[in-house]
PDB file of all heavy atoms in Angstrom:
ATOM      1  N   ARG A 143      52.512  -3.273 -29.091  1.00 96.00           N
ATOM      2  CA  ARG A 143      52.997  -2.484 -27.941  1.00 96.00           C
ATOM      3  C   ARG A 143      54.449  -2.763 -27.647  1.00 96.00           C
ATOM      4  O   ARG A 143      55.232  -1.886 -27.333  1.00 96.00           O
ATOM      5  CB  ARG A 143      52.190  -2.814 -26.697  1.00 96.00           C
ATOM      6  CG  ARG A 143      50.829  -2.156 -26.688  1.00 96.00           C
ATOM      7  CD  ARG A 143      50.169  -2.242 -25.323  1.00 96.00           C
ATOM      8  NE  ARG A 143      48.755  -1.904 -25.485  1.00 96.00           N
ATOM      9  CZ  ARG A 143      47.764  -2.770 -25.462  1.00 96.00           C
ATOM     10  NH1 ARG A 143      48.024  -4.078 -25.248  1.00 96.00           N
ATOM     11  NH2 ARG A 143      46.526  -2.386 -25.644  1.00 96.00           N
ATOM     12  N   LEU A 144      54.842  -4.021 -27.739  1.00 96.00           N
ATOM     13  CA  LEU A 144      56.198  -4.402 -27.343  1.00 96.00           C
ATOM     14  C   LEU A 144      57.252  -4.074 -28.384  1.00 96.00           C
ATOM     15  O   LEU A 144      58.398  -3.749 -28.056  1.00 96.00           O
ATOM     16  CB  LEU A 144      56.288  -5.909 -27.029  1.00 96.00           C
ATOM     17  CG  LEU A 144      55.634  -6.399 -25.741  1.00 96.00           C
ATOM     18  CD1 LEU A 144      55.640  -7.910 -25.677  1.00 96.00           C
ATOM     19  CD2 LEU A 144      56.411  -5.859 -24.511  1.00 96.00           C
ATOM     20  N   THR A 145      56.892  -4.160 -29.639  1.00 95.00           N
ATOM     21  CA  THR A 145      57.924  -4.019 -30.690  1.00 95.00           C
ATOM     22  C   THR A 145      57.618  -2.965 -31.734  1.00 95.00           C
ATOM     23  O   THR A 145      58.500  -2.553 -32.462  1.00 95.00           O
ATOM     24  CB  THR A 145      58.046  -5.364 -31.461  1.00 95.00           C
ATOM     25  OG1 THR A 145      56.844  -5.580 -32.210  1.00 95.00           O
ATOM     26  CG2 THR A 145      58.316  -6.509 -30.545  1.00 95.00           C
ATOM     27  N   GLY A 146      56.375  -2.541 -31.830  1.00 95.00           N
ATOM     28  CA  GLY A 146      55.987  -1.612 -32.883  1.00 95.00           C
ATOM     29  C   GLY A 146      55.752  -2.281 -34.223  1.00 95.00           C
ATOM     30  O   GLY A 146      55.458  -1.629 -35.213  1.00 95.00           O
ATOM     31  N   ALA A 147      55.871  -3.619 -34.265  1.00 97.00           N
ATOM     32  CA  ALA A 147      55.626  -4.331 -35.545  1.00 97.00           C
ATOM     33  C   ALA A 147      54.150  -4.217 -35.910  1.00 97.00           C
ATOM     34  O   ALA A 147      53.285  -4.148 -35.037  1.00 97.00           O
ATOM     35  CB  ALA A 147      56.022  -5.794 -35.381  1.00 97.00           C
ATOM     36  N   GLU A 148      53.900  -4.226 -37.229  1.00 97.00           N
ATOM     37  CA  GLU A 148      52.517  -4.020 -37.672  1.00 97.00           C
ATOM     38  C   GLU A 148      51.613  -5.225 -37.423  1.00 97.00           C
ATOM     39  O   GLU A 148      50.424  -5.097 -37.157  1.00 97.00           O
ATOM     40  CB  GLU A 148      52.518  -3.731 -39.181  1.00 97.00           C
ATOM     41  CG  GLU A 148      53.060  -2.365 -39.537  1.00 97.00           C
ATOM     42  CD  GLU A 148      53.177  -2.163 -41.052  1.00 97.00           C
ATOM     43  OE1 GLU A 148      52.687  -3.012 -41.832  1.00 97.00           O
ATOM     44  OE2 GLU A 148      53.784  -1.140 -41.448  1.00 97.00           O
ATOM     45  N   ASP A 149      52.183  -6.430 -37.586  1.00 97.00           N
ATOM     46  CA  ASP A 149      51.321  -7.615 -37.483  1.00 97.00           C
ATOM     47  C   ASP A 149      52.151  -8.801 -36.991  1.00 97.00           C
ATOM     48  O   ASP A 149      53.392  -8.750 -36.968  1.00 97.00           O
ATOM     49  CB  ASP A 149      50.714  -7.903 -38.851  1.00 97.00           C
ATOM     50  CG  ASP A 149      49.390  -8.665 -38.730  1.00 97.00           C
ATOM     51  OD1 ASP A 149      49.000  -9.032 -37.606  1.00 97.00           O
ATOM     52  OD2 ASP A 149      48.753  -8.930 -39.763  1.00 97.00           O
ATOM     53  N   VAL A 150      51.439  -9.856 -36.637  1.00 97.00           N
ATOM     54  CA  VAL A 150      52.091 -11.053 -36.105  1.00 97.00           C
ATOM     55  C   VAL A 150      51.318 -12.295 -36.542  1.00 97.00           C
ATOM     56  O   VAL A 150      50.112 -12.254 -36.712  1.00 97.00           O
ATOM     57  CB  VAL A 150      52.197 -10.970 -34.541  1.00 97.00           C
ATOM     58  CG1 VAL A 150      50.860 -10.617 -33.933  1.00 97.00           C
ATOM     59  CG2 VAL A 150      52.747 -12.249 -33.946  1.00 97.00           C
ATOM     60  N   LEU A 151      52.064 -13.370 -36.712  1.00 98.00           N
ATOM     61  CA  LEU A 151      51.475 -14.662 -37.012  1.00 98.00           C
ATOM     62  C   LEU A 151      52.233 -15.711 -36.210  1.00 98.00           C
ATOM     63  O   LEU A 151      53.471 -15.625 -36.131  1.00 98.00           O
ATOM     64  CB  LEU A 151      51.575 -14.940 -38.521  1.00 98.00           C
ATOM     65  CG  LEU A 151      51.033 -16.277 -39.049  1.00 98.00           C
ATOM     66  CD1 LEU A 151      49.553 -16.448 -38.722  1.00 98.00           C
ATOM     67  CD2 LEU A 151      51.206 -16.348 -40.567  1.00 98.00           C
ATOM     68  N   VAL A 152      51.503 -16.631 -35.624  1.00 98.00           N
ATOM     69  CA  VAL A 152      52.202 -17.628 -34.782  1.00 98.00           C
ATOM     70  C   VAL A 152      51.957 -19.016 -35.360  1.00 98.00           C
ATOM     71  O   VAL A 152      50.849 -19.361 -35.707  1.00 98.00           O
ATOM     72  CB  VAL A 152      51.652 -17.591 -33.351  1.00 98.00           C
ATOM     73  CG1 VAL A 152      52.414 -18.605 -32.481  1.00 98.00           C
ATOM     74  CG2 VAL A 152      51.815 -16.208 -32.768  1.00 98.00           C
ATOM     75  N   VAL A 153      53.033 -19.790 -35.483  1.00 98.00           N
ATOM     76  CA  VAL A 153      52.929 -21.177 -35.981  1.00 98.00           C
ATOM     77  C   VAL A 153      53.622 -22.108 -34.983  1.00 98.00           C
ATOM     78  O   VAL A 153      54.082 -21.705 -33.948  1.00 98.00           O
ATOM     79  CB  VAL A 153      53.490 -21.330 -37.413  1.00 98.00           C
ATOM     80  CG1 VAL A 153      52.602 -20.653 -38.437  1.00 98.00           C
ATOM     81  CG2 VAL A 153      54.926 -20.771 -37.483  1.00 98.00           C
ATOM     82  N   ASN A 154      53.670 -23.394 -35.374  1.00 97.00           N
ATOM     83  CA  ASN A 154      54.127 -24.447 -34.490  1.00 97.00           C
ATOM     84  C   ASN A 154      55.485 -24.254 -33.826  1.00 97.00           C
ATOM     85  O   ASN A 154      55.648 -24.496 -32.636  1.00 97.00           O
ATOM     86  CB  ASN A 154      54.089 -25.760 -35.265  1.00 97.00           C
ATOM     87  CG  ASN A 154      54.515 -26.925 -34.420  1.00 97.00           C
ATOM     88  OD1 ASN A 154      53.887 -27.173 -33.397  1.00 97.00           O
ATOM     89  ND2 ASN A 154      55.530 -27.616 -34.809  1.00 97.00           N
ATOM     90  N   ASN A 155      56.473 -23.864 -34.564  1.00 96.00           N
ATOM     91  CA  ASN A 155      57.802 -23.558 -33.983  1.00 96.00           C
ATOM     92  C   ASN A 155      58.555 -22.664 -34.956  1.00 96.00           C
ATOM     93  O   ASN A 155      58.037 -22.302 -36.021  1.00 96.00           O
ATOM     94  CB  ASN A 155      58.589 -24.839 -33.668  1.00 96.00           C
ATOM     95  CG  ASN A 155      58.750 -25.737 -34.877  1.00 96.00           C
ATOM     96  OD1 ASN A 155      58.476 -25.324 -35.992  1.00 96.00           O
ATOM     97  ND2 ASN A 155      59.164 -26.954 -34.642  1.00 96.00           N
ATOM     98  N   ASN A 156      59.780 -22.303 -34.604  1.00 96.00           N
ATOM     99  CA  ASN A 156      60.489 -21.333 -35.456  1.00 96.00           C
ATOM    100  C   ASN A 156      60.879 -21.975 -36.791  1.00 96.00           C
ATOM    101  O   ASN A 156      60.959 -21.271 -37.804  1.00 96.00           O
ATOM    102  CB  ASN A 156      61.700 -20.795 -34.703  1.00 96.00           C
ATOM    103  CG  ASN A 156      62.345 -19.621 -35.445  1.00 96.00           C
ATOM    104  OD1 ASN A 156      61.628 -18.861 -36.096  1.00 96.00           O
ATOM    105  ND2 ASN A 156      63.630 -19.485 -35.321  1.00 96.00           N
TER     106      ASN A 156
END
Side-chain angles (χ1 to χ4, degrees):
R143 283 193 194 105
L144 287 172
T145 67
E148 289 174 8
D149 206 356
V150 50
L151 179 59
V152 182
V153 289
N154 182 57
N155 56 13
N156 191 32

